Amino acid sequence: MKIEHMAIWVGDLNRMKHFYEKYFEAKAGKRYHNQKKEFSSYFLSFYYGCRLELMHRPGISPPQHGFMEQYQGLAHFAISLASKEKVNRLTSRIADEGYQVLDGPRLTGDGYYESVILDPENNRIELTI
C-alpha cells in the first residue's frame, strides 16, 4: 500500500498552485471545477509520483488557531530533497522570498536533517533529505 495523495483546503487556489510549482517543481493537472458544488481543485504531481490536491470552495474557513500552535489533525508533510545542500538552498530561497521558516535547517534528535517552513496559507512543510 501507499498513500495515493493528500489534500488541503485552500483560500487562494492559484496562489497555492504557483507556490508548489515554483519551489517544489510540482506539475499541475487541469483545473477541475464543479459549478453545482462551487468546488475547484488542482492535482499537483511531484517527481516520484506522489500527489497533492489543492481544493477550494467558498465557505471553508481557515483554522481558528495560530500557525505556531500545535493541534490535532494533520501536523505537516515532508518533502525529501535528497541532500543537505538542497535543504539549505531551498530553505534560504524560501526565507529570502518572504516565506516563514519555523525551524532549521538542523539535524534533529531522531537523525533527520530538516527545516520546517510554512506555505502561503500556513501549512507546515518539512524539507528533509
Side-chain angles (χ1 to χ4, degrees):
M1 286 187 251
K2 71 174 187 171
I3 294 175
E4 202 286 328
H5 73 273
M6 295 175 25
I8 53 178
W9 288 109
V10 301
D12 187 330
L13 191 59
N14 288 319
R15 180 178 184 209
M16 292 291 281
K17 177 179 81 78
H18 177 72
F19 177 83
Y20 287 96
E21 289 174 326
K22 179 177 180 178
Y23 295 107
F24 300 104
E25 300 175 5
K27 304 293 184 218
K30 186 177 175 186
R31 181 178 178 261
Y32 170 76
H33 181 72
N34 182 319
Q35 191 170 5
K36 183 178 178 180
K37 293 185 177 185
E38 297 184 79
F39 173 84
S40 296
S41 69
Y42 283 106
F43 271 99
L44 303 177
S45 297
F46 295 85
Y47 181 74
Y48 285 106
C50 63
R51 299 189 314 156
L52 177 65
E53 184 179 12
L54 302 176
M55 306 181 306
H56 175 79
R57 188 177 75 208
I60 302 292
S61 300
Q64 299 302 312
H65 47 75
F67 62 85
M68 294 299 290
E69 297 173 39
Q70 292 292 330
Y71 52 91
Q72 289 185 345
L74 184 65
H76 68 266
F77 58 93
I79 297 178
S80 175
L81 302 177
S83 74
K84 286 183 178 182
E85 294 76 22
K86 289 180 180 179
V87 170
N88 293 341
R89 274 198 311 268
L90 186 54
T91 302
S92 292
R93 180 178 169 206
I94 286 171
D96 290 347
E97 294 183 16
Y99 296 98
Q100 186 149 7
V101 175
L102 296 182
D103 194 17
R106 68 185 185 94
L107 184 62
T108 66
D110 55 357
Y112 283 91
Y113 188 80
E114 69 183 27
S115 63
V116 180
I117 64 152
L118 296 177
D119 73 11
E121 295 192 5
N122 296 328
N123 297 292
R124 290 173 184 246
I125 306 166
E126 285 185 0
L127 307 178
T128 188
I129 49 179

